[in-house]
Amino acid sequence: MAFPGSHEPIVLHCDNVWIDPPGHFEPKSVEMAGGRIEAVRDRTPAPATGTSNTGIDLGGAYLMPGLINTHVHLEFSASPYPLRDFNGESVSARMARAIRNARSMLRSGVTTVRDCGSSLDLLYHVRRNRDRHVLPRLLLSGPPITVPGGHLGVFGGEVRGPDDVAAVVSRLISAGAMSLKLMGSGGVMTPGTHPENVAFSQDLFCQVADAARTHNVASVVHVLATKSVKRAALARFDSLEHCAFFCRSANGRLERKYDAVVAGIVADCGVAIMANLSTATRSHGTLLLEGKQGNLDSQHALDQHDVMLENFAKFVDLGIPIVCGTDAGVRDTPFEDTWVELELMARSGMSNVEVIRSASLTGAHVLKLDGKVGRIAAGYSADFVVLKESPLSDISSYRCPLDVFSAGHRIDLASSRGTG
């Protein structure tokens, strides 16, 4: 059935509508028009056929807010070699792939996406062509601020000091960036950088976080080194990405060494964490096989993933706010796999309600979208994912949505799955 245009009034009737707060299901009729929710009322009867010109009866399905993924890289390929792919492609090829990747996320139930590192080309392309595509809500950070030769310097955000930072921030805001990203340490993905080393002084961490507050955009910081986690928390970035507590072992391998003092500072500062537990997990079957065959590097990677999950459980115990992000686009991390992150969070210490909120209310707060997305309530965007089973009972129900709505548009999952 074709869905009416997003500006036509429509009502979704459903036995199980997620109402949060308090965090439970109620039978409701959700009225929407112009891409927004007009009212949420007690469930009214729908036509016997289940559809009409003005209503859709979802029956006993579960109507949830559209998912929020706070950390992806739309221009990357999610192949084993995303940087190589990026460097070998034309701008037009990268723009086309970014749009395909965004559509893939939408079909998986993600209706709000933050890109945490892309070129200025993507900012300009989306601004010029947004009305041509049905896409999730996109919050683009543009080039992340990084040291010369630093992590993801390929995007063009390299700085040498405070004056450069001010110039880059001005350029990003003028281009339409809705988030400012700082590379607070080196990264595993970028050759020649050192993930275990902090990249900037405390003053510069604070400068970027303060600039984001001045411009009323979200702030986000890549922190793999322990010292970078501490500086980011003290600067009060809205969200800290990865928080790996990396150091080098005697044999030169990166290892996660949980620092309880620094984790306590993060908790005290009230900032959120994006842990990306699911990144590159598509390759774990191969790693497991290689580890059993005596490949020390593969076994080390698997062991470190287990340590990451243990550390995550400690963050949860401290009451640190958690947001859902996958780092989609980097090595072996597809854009349709947000459900993997949700399952790993549930497996690693969060209740299912907390997991749902990480990709709804908490995500909206971190992205400065309070009152706009993340709830099924009057005045919010008409963004929904419809599930066959209750995610309170089984979070894996997000694996295969029955329906997705974005700003009132019903996404045609049947004809678009697998088409890019």
Side-chain angles (χ1 to χ4, degrees), residues 193-218:
T193 68
H194 301 284
E196 71 276 22
N197 292 342
V198 65
F200 293 105
S201 68
Q202 183 68 66
D203 285 346
L204 198 139
F205 272 79
C206 291
Q207 181 184 0
V208 175
D210 288 343
R213 284 187 280 271
T214 297
H215 293 285
N216 195 32
V217 298

Side-chain angles (χ1 to χ4, degrees), residues 234-245:
L234 292 174
R236 285 178 167 76
F237 276 79
D238 293 316
S239 64
L240 280 52
E241 316 300 280
H242 318 304
C243 295
F245 299 127

Side-chain angles (χ1 to χ4, degrees), residues 56-77:
I56 299 175
D57 193 344
L58 299 173
Y62 294 82
L63 187 66
M64 307 296 297
L67 293 171
I68 299 172
N69 189 318
T70 65
H71 191 129
V72 307
H73 298 278
L74 290 171
E75 286 183 80
F76 283 158
S77 63

Side-chain angles (χ1 to χ4, degrees), residues 300-385:
H300 177 74
L302 290 169
D303 291 343
Q304 286 301 300
H305 188 263
D306 289 342
V307 173
M308 176 177 64
L309 298 182
E310 292 169 4
N311 290 350
F312 179 80
K314 295 173 183 176
F315 296 148
V316 173
D317 287 343
L318 286 172
I320 295 172
I322 305 293
V323 294
C324 174
T326 60
D327 223 352
V330 303
R331 179 177 62 87
D332 297 327
T333 308
F335 287 85
E336 64 269 23
D337 277 8
T338 301
W339 62 268
V340 180
E341 188 74 18
L342 301 179
E343 290 190 9
L344 285 172
M345 288 194 288
R347 195 185 306 169
S348 304
M350 293 179 74
S351 70
N352 286 10
V353 170
E354 291 170 330
V355 172
I356 293 167
R357 287 174 177 159
S358 77
S360 56
L361 289 175
T362 309
H365 179 70
V366 162
L367 296 182
K368 297 190 181 300
L369 293 175
D370 287 322
K372 298 179 180 179
V373 300
R375 289 184 65 200
I376 301 177
Y380 284 71
S381 183
D383 301 336
F384 313 109
V385 56

Side-chain angles (χ1 to χ4, degrees), residues 65-143:
L67 293 171
I68 299 172
N69 189 318
T70 65
H71 191 129
V72 307
H73 298 278
L74 290 171
E75 286 183 80
F76 283 158
S77 63
S79 78
Y81 308 102
L83 267 181
R84 183 191 67 184
D85 296 342
F86 178 91
N87 288 324
E89 291 179 333
S90 66
V91 171
S92 60
R94 288 191 279 107
M95 297 304 101
R97 182 170 59 214
I99 296 301
R100 290 196 303 272
N101 289 338
R103 287 173 175 164
S104 178
M105 298 201 77
L106 185 56
R107 292 194 297 270
S108 74
V110 179
T111 56
T112 298
V113 175
R114 174 167 61 185
D115 187 297
C116 271
S118 61
S119 66
L120 279 174
D121 297 313
L122 184 59
L123 279 164
Y124 297 139
H125 180 80
V126 168
R127 189 166 65 180
R128 289 194 303 265
N129 297 285
R130 185 63 179 86
D131 293 339
R132 294 176 52 201
H133 307 289
V134 177
L135 299 173
R137 177 177 288 93
L138 298 178
L139 285 78
L140 306 180
S141 301

